[in-house]
Amino acid sequence: MEMMILAILTPALHCDWRLAGWQEALVTTMVFCGMLCSSSLWGSLCDKYGRRTELILCSVTTCYFSFLSSVAPNYTWMLILRALVGFGIGGAPQSVTLLTEFLPTQSRATCVTLIEIFWTTGACFEVLLALLVMPSLGWRYLLAFSAIPIFIFCIFSMWLPESARYNMTTGYYDKALQTLERIARENGKPMPEGILVEPINHSVKRGRFGDLLIRRLRLTTLLMWTIWFVTSFSYNGIVLLTTAMFESPDGCHGSEVKFNPNPTCFLECKSLTKKDYIDLTWTTFAEFPGLFITAFLLNKIGRKYTMAVELLVFTVVVMLVNICMPREGLTFFLFVARAVISGAFQGAYVYTPEIYPTSVRAIGLGTCSGMARVGAIITPFVAQVLLKQSTYAAISLYGSFCLIAALAAFFLPIETRGYDMKDSGSEVPKVTVRDVTSRTRLKWTTKFVQNT
């Protein structure tokens, strides 16, 4: 909701505060800058103080500054407050870390992928909320109402459990056992017999950035940073391209708009109409098919091959947009591209927590998320600035980047389908081609030992 509102807020601010085009774009950029600055910080806090603590803190931060944004007195304060909202949102991806540490191996990919349904649902809900609020009350009330759901989450977060895996690797065995007993009780299942043990490794330090670049993780980390950067760059770019291409003045790419030597004043205002909101809703719904296809492929062909295939399909489809075609054809290719790039993004969300051990899982996801923010910050200059200079150059840049990301996904050293999540950094194996093809399973260090 907080991300989707940017598409609705910036046109309203453009009219109310008479903003120039670059000022309007800067509102969105500041949100991503805040997310970039906080991603690694939230990841480090998550590894040091727990997943539950981090999620509560980032949610409270987002909620507080979202409410304050609704009473921002001027443009400068809006930039500051939206950057702080982005700072809080930067910790939200750690919810995936918490979720994956509760999920059984066989259903992990499906559950994490289908979480995206709630992203899409939240975005659709934001558009419908704007349809009700904006015509009569305006953007300030929309900002305030949009912060209510996360306020409700903050209240109910006292019932949020901490990860048993995290408690085990930090020595809180009693808390881990209490969580497992709660799971068994709420599911009406008996606890396995035995005692819960974890090999003690006092040399392991938690939440260190350098641990992501140790010899066994270095290649994986660099490849994942590439994939996250490109998927975010392309996903946010295709959202911007969807409208920018329709307004392209070259008279070719689905548009009949010709070059106007006397353009209208940049301060001209056009409020979103009911039809605009309906079109926004349908555009958001276009991601649903990609989600279900991705959920199937992740379990069928594996994580890295799903990312590679979807990024390759995106490359082909986007390159086809360079061909002159009717608007209907352009719309079809753009929506297919949005579906597959959304799926590739979800593949990265599934793979990243699986490949890193518990001690650096959150900071691994946090740094990857940070690379995604860099891509999101850069992409408006391609989709909105470069596109006006050369449509072909902008489109080809997205296709070329995704081809590189597809190769990066293909050369990832480990396929994590069917693997149990690792609790110790020492468990990261030296992987050969034989190991990958035989899908040798990684063993948990956290296990139940039978009493004798």
Side-chain angles (χ1 to χ4, degrees):
M1 289 179 64
E2 289 294 339
M3 298 307 299
M4 187 65 196
I5 201 175
L6 295 172
I8 302 165
L9 175 64
T10 51
L13 294 180
H14 171 79
C15 291
D16 283 9
W17 290 347
R18 296 295 187 263
L19 302 182
W22 66 269
Q23 292 176 308
E24 183 180 353
L26 193 58
V27 176
T28 300
T29 300
M30 291 301 292
V31 175
F32 285 114
C33 287
M35 296 170 71
L36 173 64
C37 294
S38 69
S39 294
S40 295
L41 173 63
W42 288 122
S44 181
L45 290 174
C46 195
D47 281 328
K48 290 181 179 179
Y49 302 107
R51 286 73 165 110
R52 178 180 183 271
T53 301
E54 184 272 344
L55 279 175
I56 294 174
L57 286 175
C58 77
S59 298
V60 170
T61 301
T62 304
C63 180
Y64 178 70
F65 290 111
S66 294
F67 276 120
L68 286 185
S69 297
S70 67
V71 294
N74 53 49
Y75 175 72
T76 301
W77 270 109
M78 178 60 74
L79 291 180
I80 295 172
L81 292 173
R82 294 314 291 180
L84 292 172
V85 170
F87 187 91
I89 296 175
Q94 298 303 338
S95 59
V96 179
T97 301
L98 178 63
L99 176 65
T100 52
E101 293 181 353
F102 275 101
L103 293 172
T105 303
Q106 62 270 23
S107 60
R108 187 188 307 134
T110 300
C111 291
V112 173
T113 303
L114 295 183
I115 278 291
E116 179 71 8
I117 289 176
F118 295 95
W119 171 281
T120 306
T121 303
C124 292
F125 180 78
E126 182 65 43
V127 176
L128 296 176
L129 181 63
L131 178 60
L132 297 175
V133 174
M134 288 293 288
S136 56
L137 299 176
W139 59 267
R140 292 188 184 275
Y141 281 90
L142 180 63
L143 283 173
F145 291 154
S146 298
I148 293 176
I150 199 168
F151 176 72
I152 296 173
F153 171 79
C154 292
I155 294 175
F156 282 92
S157 61
M158 67 180 68
W159 284 280
L160 189 69
E162 181 56 273
S163 167
R165 284 181 176 275
Y166 172 81
N167 282 332
M168 285 297 295
T169 56
T170 52
Y172 295 104
Y173 306 125
D174 292 341
K175 292 183 178 180
L177 185 59
Q178 289 173 6
T179 300
L180 295 174
E181 289 174 341
R182 173 182 168 183
I183 293 172
R185 182 174 62 254
E186 293 182 355
N187 286 279
K189 302 291 183 180
M191 284 285 290
E193 295 181 356
I195 59 175
L196 190 64
V197 298
E198 165 77 7
I200 299 175
N201 188 352
H202 295 292
S203 64
V204 175
K205 295 183 179 180
R206 310 187 59 77
R208 297 193 307 175
F209 174 82
D211 292 338
L212 300 176
L213 298 175
I214 62 175
R215 184 170 58 88
R216 291 191 177 113
L217 286 176
R218 187 181 301 123
L219 177 60
T220 298
T221 297
L222 294 177
L223 291 176
M224 288 309 299
W225 284 351
T226 301
I227 293 169
W228 277 76
F229 170 85
V230 173
T231 51
S232 178
F233 174 80
S234 301
Y235 172 81
N236 290 284
I238 205 67
V239 173
L240 296 173
L241 279 173
T242 300
T243 54
M245 291 294 293
F246 293 156
E247 299 172 354
S248 175
D250 63 5
C252 177
H253 294 87
S255 172
E256 296 180 355
V257 179
K258 306 298 182 182
F259 177 74
N260 182 6
N262 300 306
T264 58
C265 176
F266 70 85
L267 290 179
E268 179 184 3
C269 287
K270 178 184 178 299
S271 300
L272 293 176
T273 64
K274 181 178 180 180
K275 185 179 184 301
D276 292 328
Y277 288 120
I278 294 174
D279 289 342
L280 278 174
T281 304
W282 283 113
T283 302
T284 307
F285 270 119
E287 295 182 16
F288 277 114
L291 288 178
F292 294 111
I293 293 172
T294 300
F296 172 78
L297 291 177
L298 287 172
N299 290 315
K300 191 69 175 177
I301 65 174
R303 279 60 157 153
K304 71 174 193 174
Y305 294 116
T306 297
M307 289 187 287
V309 168
E310 292 186 323
L311 287 166
L312 188 59
V313 171
F314 180 90
T315 300
V316 173
V317 171
V318 165
M319 287 300 191
L320 288 174
V321 174
N322 275 321
I323 303 173
C324 284
M325 64 184 70
R327 184 179 178 121
E328 292 78 13
L330 175 66
T331 302
F332 172 77
F333 283 126
L334 288 177
F335 282 179
V336 171
R338 181 164 178 174
V340 293
I341 197 63
S342 176
F345 218 154
Q346 284 309 297
Y349 263 109
V350 172
Y351 184 88
T352 305
E354 291 180 333
I355 199 59
Y356 287 114
T358 304
S359 57
V360 293
R361 183 170 296 131
I363 195 171
L365 182 61
T367 55
C368 287
S369 180
M371 292 301 297
R373 308 314 167 204
V374 175
I377 290 171
I378 295 174
T379 198
F381 296 97
V382 176
Q384 295 177 321
V385 178
L386 179 60
L387 185 74
K388 294 178 181 179
Q389 305 299 320
S390 173
T391 302
Y392 300 101
I395 294 172
S396 298
L397 190 61
Y398 284 110
S400 300
F401 272 34
C402 270
L403 180 60
I404 294 172
L407 293 174
F410 181 80
F411 286 109
L412 284 168
I414 300 174
E415 171 54 61
T416 59
R417 180 179 57 152
Y419 282 179
D420 295 327
M421 296 180 70
K422 302 172 290 296
D423 292 321
S424 171
S426 62
E427 290 181 62
V428 180
K430 296 179 180 178
V431 180
T432 64
V433 174
R434 168 184 272 178
D435 294 328
V436 173
T437 55
S438 63
R439 294 180 59 228
T440 304
R441 296 179 61 83
L442 303 178
K443 298 180 180 179
W444 288 3
T445 54
T446 305
K447 54 189 175 183
F448 286 96
V449 179
Q450 297 295 326
N451 281 326
T452 60

